[in-house]
Amino acid sequence: MDLAEPGRKGIYLKVGESQKGTVNIILEKVHVSGSAYHGIHISDCALRDKCGGGMGGGGDGSPASISAHLANVKIESVGYGAFDGDGIWIDERGEGSIYTTVIDSLFSRVGADGIELDEGNKGDVTAQIIRSRFVDTGNYCDPTVLKKCISKRQSEEELRN
């Protein structure tokens, strides 16, 4: 767990560069609230936050897969201090895959995605979400990023609302 940047991330777990097999992460009855960036970040990327998104994004990782099991997890009021702050972000950049199960959990008032699963190479992503809720997620948007995608007729005021 990384506590070097208080308030930035709730929980940060880094997979070792030489890790093999499957890294199993089990979070039960965990509550993360008030972090400026990701609520939980599980990273198998040598570049940490600068990996890039999805297939073809930058960064290398270990040969390991990541298996994350979340049960009765509550992530709320996170991701409003930095663009693209997710409730949970799992980033896998090596040869492995991502396997995720989320049961009876709540993702509420999250700036970006409630859950983001990034597989940056040839592995697979398997997700099973059971009796979980996503409430008021994805509301934090950076107008300078969105401006490229929105008609020039819209004013800066409209972009902020």
Side-chain angles (χ1 to χ4, degrees):
M1 187 164 24
D2 181 356
L3 299 176
E5 302 174 61
R8 184 165 157 80
K9 294 179 185 177
I11 297 172
Y12 176 72
L13 302 169
K14 172 74 175 93
V15 175
E17 291 180 26
S18 61
Q19 186 72 44
K20 295 179 181 166
T22 301
V23 175
N24 293 295
I25 298 151
I26 299 171
L27 299 173
E28 295 180 348
K29 298 181 181 177
V30 173
H31 182 194
V32 177
S33 178
S35 59
Y37 201 19
H38 304 296
I40 298 171
H41 181 190
I42 301 168
S43 179
D44 184 12
C45 178
L47 300 178
R48 197 170 164 153
D49 289 334
K50 296 178 175 57
C51 283
M55 186 66 157
D60 294 321
S62 75
S65 291
I66 298 171
S67 175
H69 175 86
L70 287 73
N72 295 302
V73 170
K74 184 193 294 188
I75 299 176
E76 60 183 349
S77 299
V78 302
Y80 284 92
F83 184 68
D84 200 24
D86 303 308
I88 182 168
W89 178 27
I90 300 176
D91 194 13
E92 202 292 312
R93 298 293 161 166
E95 301 166 17
S97 296
I98 299 172
Y99 307 100
T100 305
T101 302
V102 180
I103 303 170
D104 295 324
S105 295
L106 172 66
F107 301 84
S108 176
R109 298 182 310 281
V110 175
D113 303 313
I115 299 173
E116 180 171 338
L117 306 175
D118 263 339
E119 169 53 61
N121 280 310
K122 296 178 182 177
D124 295 317
V125 174
T126 303
Q128 189 174 35
I129 313 294
I130 302 166
R131 291 184 310 274
S132 295
R133 297 184 309 140
F134 297 83
V135 179
D136 200 21
T137 63
N139 290 323
Y140 181 78
C141 297
D142 185 341
T144 59
V145 173
L146 291 179
K147 190 173 185 178
K148 298 177 218 171
C149 305
I150 297 176
S151 166
K152 290 184 179 187
R153 292 180 294 194
Q154 290 184 315
S155 68
E156 289 289 323
E157 175 88 8
E158 290 172 314
L159 289 176
R160 289 188 185 113
N161 295 328

